[in-house]
Amino acid sequence: MLIGLFNNWIVVMLMMIGLYIVIAHGNLIKKIVGLTLFQTSVFIFYISMAKVVGGTAPILADDIIQYSNPLPHALILTAIVVAIATTALALSLVIRIKAAYGSIEEEEIQRQDNQIQADKKERKQA
Amino acid sequence: MIDIVLLTLLLAVAIAIIRMKDLFAVVMLSGIYGLLSASFFVAMDAVDVAFTEAAVGAGISTLLMLVVITMTGRSENTTRHKPFPALLLVVITGCLLIYGTLDMPYFGSADAPVHSHVAPRYINDSMQEIGIPNIVTSILASYRAFDTFGELVVIFTAGIGVLALLSSVRRPDNGDKIVCINYSMHEQHLVVRIVTKMLLPFILLFALYVQFHGDFGPGGGFQAGVIFAAAIILYAMLFGLSTARIVINQPFIQLISATGVLLYGCVGLVSLLNGGNFFDYNFLSNDAITGQHLGIFLIEWAVGCTVASVIIIIFFNFADYRERQQSNENEHNQESP
């Protein structure tokens, strides 16, 4: 059982490490790295599901009987490239946030937002 | 056995990523993480996936994050946001997930449910139906072409998003200053520059090989696009953005990225007009297998064009933005004293 489910347990741990970074760290770049960890753990989960013991890579050749499952491979292949595209979009948002707030720390951004809100309220009351 | 070692290393790298405060180290570790997971994918027989992950996870994504760090600063604030509730939440979720894995089929078992639905058809019949040895390419480009179309549109949309967020009309007057900065950089990296100059044609040729050999071995449009873009990015890094901008015309690249998506959609439309379903390549030609070959060739080409040009667009916009920021700072510094 330990060997049989080892991959899944490592995947769960990696996923939770990613989730922890996303929740507990305030730095936006670090959050994106955490998301990448999370994403890659899902890739590892799919690919280790596709493996068949004694199988080979799913490229047809004459004297091979057992292949690993090619379907998860096709799904994850496209997911990886989509992941880099969306990560790039997130990074460009970070760049704009840095330009607008002068910081990429979540708490500093929150503080500035609260400040603006409070100022608005004061002006309304006045 | 090798997979257990690789997974343990992955876990160690992930823990190191949590503990590091220096963002430069964090990004380099995430590159190592990508390379390790690519090695793991090779051990799991997923050669196509490993190829992509090695190019994307270890190469391009590390590079993009490094570019961003040069703009946002490399140290992280030490205070954490509610670490203990977060830890509690994560541990509980993790325990529930591990409980969920207990009745999953064991690793590598041939009778797991995942191997019983459509996968046998892909493995047994794809040679008769599609006629190419690489089953992953058959699935990606023919059986599930509609999925891949959607994913290509997502990539294209992300490219548009980056353009919308970062691009701006260039000011023509600061061109000279940038050339000067780059000139000094060239003097420092003479050896690297000459070696790169020799390597570049081979990298581009390799990208084309991966593009056209994807039917027979690991490879295809996604990998080829990333490798092609990596070659262009390497050139831009060593010879300066302004030189690279002369070689790579930005509006042209933007046109290519849209043309790729258009070509992909048109292949589907042509098969629709010839009387088949959307993306049913059997109707592209009189002979079904020839039609499949033609369809896969065209859509792999479309994917390669869009992926390469979107990644080039993303890199150039990041680097452009940084350059503008630096020249603004320089002007500011000159004015303030």
Side-chain angles (χ1 to χ4, degrees):
Chain A
M1 181 161 129
L2 180 69
I3 296 291
L5 293 175
F6 183 74
N7 287 31
N8 294 340
W9 293 346
I10 292 279
V11 164
V12 169
M13 286 182 221
L14 290 176
M15 200 182 266
M16 288 307 116
I17 288 174
L19 187 62
Y20 176 78
I21 293 178
V22 172
I23 298 172
H25 286 255
N27 189 293
L28 294 180
I29 301 269
K30 189 103 176 212
K31 271 185 201 285
I32 291 177
V33 172
L35 268 183
T36 317
L37 290 191
F38 197 108
Q39 274 175 335
T40 315
S41 78
V42 176
F43 301 160
I44 292 172
F45 180 61
Y46 266 63
I47 297 298
S48 47
M49 224 160 40
K51 170 76 179 168
V52 178
V53 166
T56 60
I59 296 170
L60 295 169
D62 284 339
D63 43 341
I64 293 173
I65 357 158
Q66 184 73 267
Y67 295 100
S68 288
N69 191 342
L71 180 60
H73 298 183
L75 299 179
I76 295 309
L77 172 55
T78 49
I80 290 176
V81 184
V82 169
I84 178 69
T86 48
T87 304
L89 194 63
L91 286 172
S92 50
L93 280 172
V94 170
I95 295 174
R96 291 306 297 258
I97 287 173
K98 170 77 178 176
Y101 289 89
S103 166
I104 55 166
E105 295 292 337
E106 197 182 50
E107 282 174 4
E108 172 67 17
I109 295 166
Q110 190 67 47
R111 199 188 56 76
Q112 290 190 21
D113 269 355
N114 290 345
Q115 189 73 42
I116 293 167
Q117 291 276 325
D119 285 354
K120 263 187 194 164
K121 236 180 217 171
E122 254 175 43
R123 229 175 295 151
K124 244 183 205 171
Q125 279 168 357
Chain B
M1 198 63 222
I2 181 97
D3 49 318
I4 291 176
V5 175
L6 285 171
L7 284 173
T8 316
L9 277 175
L10 275 171
L11 194 63
V13 171
I15 290 169
I17 288 178
I18 296 190
R19 299 179 56 84
M20 287 283 174
K21 293 281 167 228
D22 184 1
L23 286 179
F24 178 75
V26 166
V27 170
M28 292 322 277
L29 279 174
S30 81
I32 293 172
Y33 185 86
L35 197 62
L36 280 174
S37 53
S39 326
F40 175 74
F41 294 154
V42 175
M44 294 290 105
D45 301 337
V47 277
D48 284 275
V49 182
F51 205 154
T52 321
E53 177 68 20
V56 167
I60 303 286
S61 85
T62 313
L63 183 87
L64 290 181
M65 284 190 192
L66 284 179
V67 177
V68 175
I69 282 178
T70 57
M71 286 182 260
T72 57
R74 62 183 272 186
S75 68
E76 183 195 8
N77 206 339
T78 44
T79 57
R80 287 189 189 174
H81 180 70
K82 291 184 185 157
F84 292 109
L87 196 65
L88 192 69
L89 179 79
V90 161
V91 167
I92 291 174
T93 318
C95 288
L96 285 176
L97 283 174
I98 285 182
Y99 175 68
T101 63
L102 288 181
D103 53 358
M104 278 188 65
Y106 283 176
F107 170 72
S109 56
D111 52 352
V114 64
H115 305 306
S116 65
H117 186 46
V118 283
R121 178 181 163 194
Y122 294 149
I123 293 174
N124 297 324
D125 302 344
S126 74
M127 201 59 184
Q128 284 89 43
E129 289 178 354
I130 316 287
I132 58 170
N134 189 349
I135 311 175
V136 176
T137 306
S138 304
I139 297 173
L140 188 85
S142 184
Y143 287 116
R144 305 185 70 91
F146 203 65
D147 279 18
T148 312
F149 185 48
E151 264 138 11
L152 195 67
V153 173
V154 171
I155 294 167
F156 179 65
T157 315
I160 294 177
V162 172
L163 266 178
L165 283 168
L166 295 184
S167 82
S168 79
V169 184
R170 295 195 55 73
R171 285 179 300 165
D173 56 309
N174 57 7
D176 303 332
K177 212 183 295 167
I178 293 161
V179 172
C180 294
I181 297 167
N182 289 331
Y183 185 72
S184 66
M185 190 185 78
H186 288 177
E187 293 296 299
Q188 289 167 10
H189 299 290
L190 195 62
V191 175
V192 187
R193 212 176 49 170
I194 290 170
V195 172
T196 309
K197 225 175 195 171
M198 290 195 292
L199 274 179
L200 265 182
F202 294 104
I203 300 177
L204 292 176
L205 199 64
F206 179 61
L208 289 177
Y209 167 78
V210 171
Q211 171 81 47
F212 294 116
H213 202 258
D215 300 0
F216 306 101
F222 283 102
Q223 293 95 327
V226 175
I227 295 171
F228 199 88
I232 305 284
I233 290 173
L234 184 65
Y235 182 82
M237 277 163 66
L238 283 163
F239 292 84
L241 268 187
S242 46
T243 323
R245 228 180 267 124
I246 298 167
V247 182
I248 308 292
N249 186 353
Q250 285 300 301
F252 179 66
I253 289 289
Q254 288 163 17
L255 189 70
I256 296 268
S257 70
T259 315
V261 178
L262 196 65
L263 175 64
Y264 200 130
C266 285
V267 172
L269 274 185
V270 168
S271 51
L272 197 67
L273 292 177
N274 283 356
N277 287 325
F278 202 49
F279 292 122
D280 191 350
Y281 306 144
N282 289 346
F283 292 85
L284 286 181
S285 163
N286 294 328
D287 178 39
I289 293 291
T290 318
Q292 289 286 349
H293 279 274
L294 182 67
I296 289 177
F297 173 79
L298 285 176
I299 72 126
E300 287 279 13
W301 191 233
V303 167
C305 284
T306 301
V307 169
S309 47
V310 164
I311 290 179
I312 292 172
I313 288 172
I314 290 170
F315 175 77
F316 270 75
N317 276 290
F318 277 28
D320 242 14
Y321 195 87
R322 176 163 179 269
E323 210 177 58
R324 277 206 304 276
Q325 213 179 31
Q326 276 181 339
S327 64
N328 282 351
E329 270 169 21
N330 283 348
E331 273 170 29
H332 195 72
N333 288 346
Q334 277 162 7
E335 280 162 17
S336 54

